[in-house]
Amino acid sequence: MIGTQPKKRRPKGPFVLVILIALVVGALFFFSSQASEQPVGTIEEEVKLEADAQ
């Protein structure tokens, strides 16, 4: 048809980049909330030297 312009398509690059960044941020938030610190426990064990064993 004369005088009609083809529809302009939006580039997919920025959309994919935003989705990828959102997934990475969501994964970081998820894994950081899953981590739980363990209390520090002291392990005391008697150490025998080979020289003392003789």
Side-chain angles (χ1 to χ4, degrees), residues 5-9:
Q5 296 179 353
K7 293 181 180 179
K8 291 184 179 179
R9 295 181 63 195

Side-chain angles (χ1 to χ4, degrees), residues 7-32:
K7 293 181 180 179
K8 291 184 179 179
R9 295 181 63 195
R10 290 185 176 181
K12 291 182 180 180
F15 180 72
V16 171
L17 185 63
V18 168
I19 296 296
L20 185 63
I21 290 173
L23 286 173
V24 169
V25 170
L28 288 174
F29 180 76
F30 175 74
F31 287 121
S32 69

